[in-house]
Amino acid sequence: MKKILSLLIMLVLSVTPFSAWANDEEPDVPQQAASVTEKAEEAEENEAEPSATEEPTTEDNSTPRFMVTSYELSGKSLTPGKPAELSITFDNYSYTKSLHNMKFEINDPSGDILTTGMPTKYVSYVPAYGSYTWVIELTAINTASIGQHDLQVSVEFEDEKFNSYSSGDTVRIDVKQSVDLSYSGAILPKKVIQGDTHTVTVDLMNTGKSTLYNCTLDFNIEGMQSGGSVFVGNIEPATNAQGSANLRVDSDALGEATGKITITYEDDYGKKYKKTAEVSTVIEEKVEQVATATEEQEEKKNPLWWLFILIGLAVGGALGFGIPWLINDKKQRKEDDLRL
């Protein structure tokens, strides 16, 4: 009996939930499932977004800029036969990336400018936001063209993750050729006369490899006037030119006179050059020249006096010879007649 009673009680307890569901009381299962889904989504978002205390980690994909920022040539310009040092400064503008395994190279497309040794340079490391200065010696060939030359400078390098980069810049170098001039004829006569005019001709030869511009002669001599500068003009390499001046001696100057003949000219860049010849002469009085002029005037008045003298001598000689000959001839004839 007790067993039957306990079975009935268990049956009643087990049927109670189903009866409640049968009385339109829906269970809370969908609400629990929705809450579980929302928590899962929140967990995923929390995993995707870092917490406020953690710093975000991003990869630096920027390209480092390694550029020429300045350069300087010793001597300011390059001349054949005179090597000069070129200093080129490169700056790394990246704040985060250091540069490695670097190769520098310089080249003149015209071939007029050469490097002493190889035109390349290897550098293992330049720090982030650091710099490097490359010093290299340059020379110009003898036939290098005058003026500006654009040298190409290039660099190949890598970052810390072995990514390769390259950059290039232009360095401008001025080339000058040698400037030289020789001359002759810059001399005065040993003696000059007051009031006379003497012509002085100076021969100029361009013995350099650059054109000489605006060649000019200036005469600064005591007691002699030239009338101003003598402009010769431009002289090409291995050619010559002449400059002449008429120097008039002052009428009141007397004695030793010294002075200078100055030759000025310019190169392709307008730089002026000067050469000076020291000259001297002796200025004499006009008296001797006046006496000579008087004699010339007398000669002009009687230009045939010497001719009359010669005719008189010839006639006198003929008479002196002819008369004795006639007398002897007549006497000889008489003697011949008497013999017959």
Side-chain angles (χ1 to χ4, degrees):
M1 189 63 182
K2 292 181 178 179
K3 291 181 179 181
I4 293 171
L5 184 59
S6 61
L7 289 173
L8 291 173
I9 294 170
M10 294 177 63
L11 181 62
V12 172
L13 294 174
S14 62
V15 172
T16 300
F18 293 98
S19 62
W21 179 69
N23 292 328
D24 298 331
E25 293 181 1
E26 295 180 358
D28 197 31
V29 175
Q31 296 179 358
Q32 293 177 356
S35 63
V36 171
T37 303
E38 291 177 356
K39 289 180 180 181
E41 291 177 354
E42 290 179 358
E44 290 178 357
E45 292 178 357
N46 291 334
E47 291 178 358
E49 297 179 0
S51 62
T53 58
E54 295 179 356
E55 294 182 357
T57 56
T58 58
E59 185 177 358
D60 185 2
N61 293 322
S62 64
T63 300
R65 301 298 180 187
F66 193 58
M67 303 166 56
V68 173
T69 55
S70 65
Y71 61 90
E72 184 178 4
L73 181 70
S74 62
K76 307 304 179 183
S77 62
L78 198 60
T79 302
K82 297 180 180 179
E85 286 189 347
L86 175 64
S87 299
I88 311 174
T89 299
F90 302 80
D91 281 349
N92 179 10
Y93 282 95
S94 175
Y95 285 94
T96 59
K97 290 187 176 183
S98 59
L99 309 180
H100 304 266
N101 196 27
M102 313 179 71
K103 177 188 176 183
F104 296 82
E105 186 172 3
I106 188 169
N107 175 56
D108 178 17
S110 69
D112 288 348
I113 298 178
L114 306 176
T115 61
T116 302
M118 295 298 294
T120 56
K121 173 75 173 181
Y122 175 80
V123 177
S124 60
Y125 169 77
V126 172
Y129 211 66
S131 63
Y132 174 75
T133 299
W134 183 21
V135 179
I136 187 168
E137 189 176 75
L138 303 178
T139 57
I141 63 176
N142 291 332
T143 57
S145 59
I146 301 170
Q148 181 177 281
H149 289 249
D150 292 342
L151 276 62
Q152 305 302 317
V153 181
S154 61
V155 188
E156 298 176 2
F157 54 94
E158 299 174 351
D159 62 11
E160 297 172 346
K161 295 185 178 180
F162 307 106
N163 296 313
S164 297
Y165 305 92
S166 63
S167 66
D169 288 284
T170 300
V171 173
R172 293 179 172 86
I173 301 297
D174 285 331
V175 173
K176 292 183 178 181
Q177 283 286 1
S178 61
V179 176
D180 197 9
L181 177 142
S182 61
Y183 62 89
S184 62
I187 56 175
L188 295 177
K190 292 183 178 180
K191 295 181 180 181
V192 294
I193 305 299
Q194 293 174 336
D196 284 2
T197 299
H198 295 272
T199 300
V200 177
T201 300
V202 181
D203 294 317
L204 307 175
M205 169 65 78
N206 183 355
T207 55
K209 296 183 179 180
S210 176
T211 301
L212 304 181
Y213 298 90
N214 301 324
C215 296
T216 306
L217 299 176
D218 288 287
F219 298 83
N220 185 13
I221 306 169
E222 297 174 353
M224 304 183 77
Q225 306 300 324
S226 64
S229 301
V230 177
F231 182 75
V232 179
N234 303 337
I235 307 176
E236 297 294 328
T239 60
N240 62 350
Q242 287 184 338
S244 298
N246 294 321
L247 304 180
R248 181 173 179 79
V249 184
D250 294 342
S251 58
D252 57 350
L254 186 63
E256 184 178 0
T258 59
K260 298 178 180 179
I261 300 177
T262 303
I263 307 167
T264 58
Y265 51 96
E266 301 175 1
D267 62 12
D268 296 89
Y269 296 88
K271 182 180 178 181
K272 291 187 176 182
Y273 300 82
K274 180 171 66 175
K275 287 193 174 184
T276 303
E278 302 286 343
V279 294
S280 63
T281 187
V282 175
I283 302 175
E284 296 182 348
E285 290 183 340
K286 189 71 173 180
V287 177
E288 297 180 1
Q289 191 69 19
V290 172
T292 304
T294 303
E295 293 176 358
E296 290 179 355
Q297 291 177 358
E298 293 295 333
E299 290 178 358
K300 290 180 180 179
K301 291 180 181 178
N302 302 299
L304 299 178
W305 61 270
W306 53 271
L307 182 59
F308 291 115
I309 294 175
L310 291 177
I311 294 174
L313 292 175
V315 172
L319 293 174
F321 174 79
I323 292 173
W325 181 81
L326 291 174
I327 295 172
N328 291 331
D329 183 64
K330 186 176 181 180
K331 183 178 180 180
Q332 186 66 35
R333 287 179 180 178
K334 288 180 178 182
E335 292 179 355
D336 291 339
D337 291 340
L338 292 174
R339 289 176 185 173
L340 295 174

